[in-house]
Amino acid sequence: MPSLTGMRAFAAAVVFTCHSIAQFYIAPGGTSRSLAMFLLPIGQAAVSFFFLLSGFVLMSNPRKNDTLFAFWRRRAFRVYPNHLVTWCVGLALLVISGQQVSASIAAPSLLLVHDWYPATDLSAVLSQGVNPISWSLSCEVFLYLCFPLLAWLVGRLSRRGLWLTAGVLVAVVFCVPFVSGVISGDPLPGVNYSLLQFYFVYAAPPVRMLEFMLGMVLARMVREKMWPAIKLWAATAFCVAGYAAAGMVTERSGKPLLFTMVAMTIIPMAVMVATAATTDLSRRPSFLRNRVLVWLGQISFAFYLVHYLILQYGFTKVTSKLQPGLPGAIGIAVVFFGICVLAAWLLYTFVERPIAQWRWGGDPRGGGDKATSLVTEVRS
C-alpha cells in the first residue's frame, strides 16, 4: 500500500510547517498570529494520522506464527535505533547550549517511558525527552505493548461489530475534550486549559489508543472488503476540509483549543487512511504513489525525529538574529526543510535501514520462532 507511505510524507511536512511557523517563528502582527493559530491544529491532526496509521499497518500485516517476543523485538528495532541517535544528539545540544538536564528526565526519555505519566510543569514539558518530539514515540511504545491484546479483541469482532466499534471509538474521541473539564488545575498562559488537561487530551497513551485501535478496526474492514468504494479525490477533499475547519475555528478563537486537537479531524483522517489503502489494493490510480512522495514517506520517521532539534537549535537562532517578516521566515523554513530532509536521509540510510535488514530487527522467518501464534499466546 504505497499510497499510505506517500501520505506519511504529507503528514511529516505538515508537522514541520506547524512547528516552524506556529511554534518557533515569533513575530508581531496579526497576520503571523492568525497563520500560527490556523496551522496549529493541522499539525496536531497529522500526529493523529500517525497513530491511526500505526494501528492500521500493524493490523494489516498479521503473521501466522508470530510470537509476543518476536513482535516486540521487531518494534524495538524499529523505534529505538533512530531514537538513540537523536537522543544522543539532543543531549549533546543541551550540554553545548549550557542547559542542564537531570537524570530523572534523561533516563525515562532514553527508555521511552517519559510520556506514560504527566509532567509537573510547563518547563518539564518543553524539556522532556531531551528530544521533545519523542513524546509520541513513548506513546507508541505503550501502544506496541498493548497491541497483542488489542489485536485479539479486534480479531474477534463480527462485521457488524467492526462498524459499531468504529463508531464508539470516534464517539469517545469526541467526548474526551469535554471529560477533561472535570480535571482541575491552573490554565496555561494564553489558553483556557491546564497542563494536566492538555496531557489527558493530547498526550496520554490510553487516550491516543483510541486512534490506534480505530486504525486496527479500519484495517480489518479493508481486509474483509467492507470499506465503501470512495474516490481518493473525495477522501482527500474531505480531509483537507477537516483540516481547514479545525484551523479556522482555532484562528477565530485566537488560542489553541482542546476540541480541535483530535476530535475535529478524526473522521476525515480515518476516511483518508482506509480509502488510500483500498485504492492501492484495487489498483486504482493514486497521486500518493508518486515516486518522490513514497521516498519522502520512507524517510519520514527519521525526518520526524530530527526536524524538531534542527528547528529548535537552528531555525530559531537564524530567525531571531535576522528578524525577518513572515515571507522571509517562510523562505528560511523552506531552507531548513531541505536540511531536515538531508539529515533524515542520512539517519535512514546509515541507521534505520541497515538495522531493519539485520536478522534481529527484521523478519524472523528464518526459523527461530516456532511458538504458538501471537493471538493464541494472548488468549492463553
Side-chain angles (χ1 to χ4, degrees), residues 265-276:
T265 54
I266 184 65
I267 296 177
M269 198 65 58
V271 171
M272 186 66 186
V273 169
T275 301

Side-chain angles (χ1 to χ4, degrees), residues 32-76:
S32 297
R33 173 72 177 178
S34 296
L35 180 60
M37 289 297 101
F38 180 78
L39 290 174
L40 188 60
I42 295 176
Q44 294 165 342
V47 174
S48 181
F49 159 78
F50 282 117
F51 286 119
L52 265 169
L53 184 66
S54 182
F56 186 95
V57 171
L58 290 179
M59 197 68 185
S60 297
N61 295 281
R63 297 168 184 250
K64 293 182 179 180
N65 295 318
D66 208 3
T67 66
L68 293 174
F69 176 75
F71 170 77
W72 285 327
R73 182 191 69 201
R74 288 195 308 275
R75 291 295 91 199

Side-chain angles (χ1 to χ4, degrees), residues 230-289:
I230 301 173
K231 299 293 185 181
L232 184 59
W233 66 264
T236 303
F238 185 35
C239 198
V240 171
Y243 277 157
M248 286 188 291
V249 168
T250 306
E251 187 272 329
R252 289 187 178 183
S253 68
K255 55 188 176 183
L257 302 172
L258 292 174
F259 189 73
T260 61
M261 292 180 180
V262 181
M264 281 194 67
T265 54
I266 184 65
I267 296 177
M269 198 65 58
V271 171
M272 186 66 186
V273 169
T275 301
T278 54
T279 298
D280 280 348
L281 294 175
S282 60
R283 299 183 180 181
R284 288 177 288 170
S286 170
F287 68 93
L288 294 168
R289 287 199 292 268

Side-chain angles (χ1 to χ4, degrees), residues 105-159:
I105 292 178
S109 68
L110 176 61
L111 300 175
L112 287 179
V113 298
H114 56 294
D115 186 56
W116 295 9
Y117 49 88
T120 55
D121 55 68
L122 185 59
S123 62
V125 172
L126 298 176
S127 63
Q128 74 169 344
V130 179
N131 180 10
I133 205 71
S134 66
W135 74 266
S136 61
L137 268 69
S138 176
C139 194
E140 286 279 4
V141 169
F142 179 89
L143 298 176
Y144 293 157
L145 291 174
C146 298
F147 175 76
L149 178 59
L150 297 177
W152 178 71
L153 292 173
V154 173
R156 291 174 61 88
L157 294 174
S158 64
R159 293 170 68 91

Side-chain angles (χ1 to χ4, degrees), residues 11 17 155 276:
T17 303

